[in-house]
């Protein structure tokens, strides 16, 4: 197996980075390398998968702790697995209760560790998909591609080669722990630790499955269709039972799908409202008239009133985004941008000068008010 890059290196982070730093790095890299934004780019696709794999581990406290201590062997069932049954860290082994019977030898049997062969639910996985502005506003269906650890079809999750079966560990009698007794100045101290023979599993495999190398799981590419609800905006959707396979016939974990919305060239979302800028001509602003406005539902007509000023805003009720979890919609706000004409012909310049010569202060209320204030401030008529 080729060596994997360090997950912190993949994310561009230092070991010990905060949860917020990990999330921020993931979002930036996922957008940078997502296949939808890099069609046909195999290198970007490979990096996107690498980033997702790194985030899956570093965003999970338990997995991250195992990775920090044991490296890739602590989180990947198929990484560096040996002939004696694979890496002891490929499964979700409980390392936290090794001393649960400490000092138990003074007069009692001490506590017992949970059964290592009891069914345990698989871990969750996370992936990211991108949707258009319109898809997020109205909802849609999407096919999500992801990779998980599934039960090995060859050994049906036992980890043992066909025709064989795991055996109860002779060293710990299937408990996954061994008792160690020591004499100290304070008396006899009894402690428990993970069994070295079985790695805490309670079972040993003499002939590992060639397909999964004794882990009972294989990495599998899968697809699932999901409904994207209208109004979504960066939320995470949970798809039950599509995560990693559990241990000892335990249920699968869940798939968490982060939905990112691509920016739109015209529309901007503010809550449930949609904003856009609408360029109009100088004559349209002065004379008023009908203009065509783009909306999420298509083009609509709107009557611009006479004397419309730059940055005036008008509202189209109910033309915004559907509120997440309801049928209510926000509004659309349109900001007017008056475009000053360029590259005028001599005739056009002549007509404008003629118009300007006929205009009075009545036509320019703001201009009159401005120069009246200047006159008050400086005692001088600055109007031309």
């Amino acid at each position: 197996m080729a060596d994997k890059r360090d997950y912190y290196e993949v994310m561009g982070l230092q070991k010990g980075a905060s949860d917020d730093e990990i999330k921020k790095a993931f979002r930036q890299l996922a957008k940078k390398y997502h296949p939808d934004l890099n069609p046909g780019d195999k290198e970007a696709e490979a990096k996107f998968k690498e980033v997702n794999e790194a985030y899956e581990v570093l965003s999970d406290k338990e997995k991250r702790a195992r990775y920090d201590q044991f490296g890739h062997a602590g989180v990947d069932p198929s990484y560096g697995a040996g002939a004696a049954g694979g890496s002891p860290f490929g499964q979700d082994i409980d390392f936290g209760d090794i001393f649960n019977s400490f000092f138990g030898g003074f007069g009692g049997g001490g506590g017992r560790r949970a059964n290592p062969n009891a069914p345990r639910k698989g871990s969750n996985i996370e992936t990211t998909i991108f949707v258009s502005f319109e898809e997020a506003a109205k909802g849609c269906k999407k096919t999500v591609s992801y990779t998980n650890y599934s039960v090995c079809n060859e050994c049906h999750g036992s980890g043992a080669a066909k025709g064989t079966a795991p055996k109860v560990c002779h060293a710990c009698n299937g408990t996954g722990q061994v008792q160690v007794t020591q004499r100290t100045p304070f008396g006899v101290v009894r402690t428990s630790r993970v069994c070295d023979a079985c790695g805490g599993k309670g079972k040993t495999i003499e002939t590992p499955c060639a397909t999964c190398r004794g882990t009972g799981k294989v990495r599998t590419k899968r697809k699932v269709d999901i409904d994207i609800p209208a109004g979504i905006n960066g939320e995470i959707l949970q798809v039950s039972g599509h995560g990693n396979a559990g241990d000892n016939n335990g249920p699968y974990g869940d798939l968490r799908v982060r939905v990112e919305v691509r920016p739109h060239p015209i529309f901007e979302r503010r809550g449930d409202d949609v904003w856009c800028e609408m360029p109009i001509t100088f004559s349209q602003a002065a004379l008023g008239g009908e203009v065509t406005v783009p909306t999420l539902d298509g083009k609509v007509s709107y009557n611009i009133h006479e004397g419309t000023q730059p940055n005036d805003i008008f509202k189209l009720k109910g033309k915004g985004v559907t509120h997440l979890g309801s049928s209510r919609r926000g509004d659309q706000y349109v900001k007017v941008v008056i475009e000053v004409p360029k590259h005028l012909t001599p005739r056009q310049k002549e007509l404008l000068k003629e118009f300007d010569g006929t205009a009075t202060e009545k036509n320019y209320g703001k201009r009159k008010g401005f120069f009246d204030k200047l006159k008050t401030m400086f005692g001088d008529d600055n109007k031309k």
Side-chain angles (χ1 to χ4, degrees), residues 270-332:
R270 301 181 189 177
D272 293 335
D273 296 327
V274 171
W275 285 71
C276 72
E277 292 187 348
M278 179 73 184
I280 63 174
T281 66
F282 169 77
S283 59
Q284 284 177 317
L287 302 175
E290 188 176 281
V291 295
T292 301
V293 183
T295 74
L296 292 173
D297 301 318
K299 298 177 181 179
V300 299
S301 296
Y302 185 84
N303 286 315
I304 296 288
H305 64 79
E306 181 181 324
T308 292
Q309 298 298 305
N311 300 324
D312 276 0
I313 296 171
F314 60 87
K315 181 173 75 172
L316 301 176
K317 190 171 180 61
K319 293 296 183 181
V321 175
T322 301
H323 184 77
L324 186 63
S326 78
S327 59
R328 180 176 60 82
R329 291 183 62 174
D331 303 318
Q332 178 170 334

Side-chain angles (χ1 to χ4, degrees), residues 36-352:
D36 286 354
L37 303 180
N38 300 274
D41 190 335
K42 296 297 183 182
E43 183 179 352
E45 182 180 354
K47 287 185 178 293
F48 179 74
K49 292 179 180 177
E50 188 179 38
V51 167
N52 271 280
E53 182 178 326
Y55 182 70
E56 177 188 330
V57 172
L58 299 184
S59 63
D60 185 299
K61 290 184 179 180
E62 291 184 7
K63 288 184 181 180
R64 184 179 179 184
R66 292 205 304 271
Y67 177 74
D68 288 345
Q69 186 173 4
F70 303 110
H72 291 292
V75 293
D76 189 341
S78 61
Y79 188 86
S87 165
F89 309 118
Q91 308 284 344
D92 289 333
I93 300 169
D94 182 8
F95 289 93
D97 201 22
I98 298 176
F99 298 103
N100 64 347
S101 59
F102 193 70
F103 290 114
F106 280 116
R112 289 186 63 86
R113 186 173 182 262
N115 181 5
N117 298 312
R120 291 197 297 276
K121 183 179 179 179
S123 58
N124 297 336
I125 59 177
E126 185 167 316
T127 190
T128 301
I129 63 170
F130 287 79
V131 298
S132 69
F133 192 94
E134 292 86 350
E135 288 173 328
K138 295 186 175 183
C140 63
K141 288 183 179 291
K142 283 288 181 181
T143 298
V144 180
S145 300
Y146 65 99
T147 303
N148 72 343
Y149 285 109
S150 303
V151 174
C152 176
N153 290 328
E154 183 69 19
C155 66
H156 304 291
S158 71
K162 186 176 290 187
T164 68
K167 295 182 178 180
V168 175
C169 177
H170 67 277
C172 64
N173 293 320
T175 65
Q177 286 189 311
V178 292
Q179 300 291 322
V180 179
T181 302
Q182 293 177 310
R183 292 186 178 277
T184 73
F186 303 101
V188 177
V189 177
R190 181 185 303 163
T191 61
S192 62
R193 61 178 174 82
V194 173
C195 176
D196 292 331
C198 66
K201 300 175 185 176
K203 295 180 181 179
T204 57
I205 300 173
E206 294 181 354
T207 308
C209 171
T211 301
C212 64
R213 290 182 291 183
T215 65
K217 301 175 185 177
V218 291
R219 201 162 177 83
T220 309
K221 292 183 178 180
R222 295 186 177 278
K223 292 183 178 181
V224 62
D225 294 330
I226 63 172
D227 291 319
I228 306 297
I232 199 164
N233 190 25
E235 287 83 5
I236 294 177
L237 303 178
Q238 186 156 306
V239 188
S240 299
H242 287 267
N244 288 324
D247 296 327
N248 306 317
N249 294 319
Y252 276 72
D254 300 326
L255 170 65
R256 291 161 54 84
V257 183
R258 183 184 300 277
V259 182
E260 297 286 355
V261 183
R262 296 192 192 97
H264 195 278
I266 295 176
F267 301 127
E268 176 188 348
R269 181 172 176 175
R270 301 181 189 177
D272 293 335
D273 296 327
V274 171
W275 285 71
C276 72
E277 292 187 348
M278 179 73 184
I280 63 174
T281 66
F282 169 77
S283 59
Q284 284 177 317
L287 302 175
E290 188 176 281
V291 295
T292 301
V293 183
T295 74
L296 292 173
D297 301 318
K299 298 177 181 179
V300 299
S301 296
Y302 185 84
N303 286 315
I304 296 288
H305 64 79
E306 181 181 324
T308 292
Q309 298 298 305
N311 300 324
D312 276 0
I313 296 171
F314 60 87
K315 181 173 75 172
L316 301 176
K317 190 171 180 61
K319 293 296 183 181
V321 175
T322 301
H323 184 77
L324 186 63
S326 78
S327 59
R328 180 176 60 82
R329 291 183 62 174
D331 303 318
Q332 178 170 334
Y333 292 87
V334 183
K335 183 178 179 180
V336 174
V337 177
I338 299 175
E339 188 172 6
V340 178
K342 298 179 180 179
H343 312 298
L344 300 176
T345 66
R347 175 57 179 160
Q348 289 172 330
K349 292 179 181 180
E350 182 181 341
L351 288 172
L352 282 176

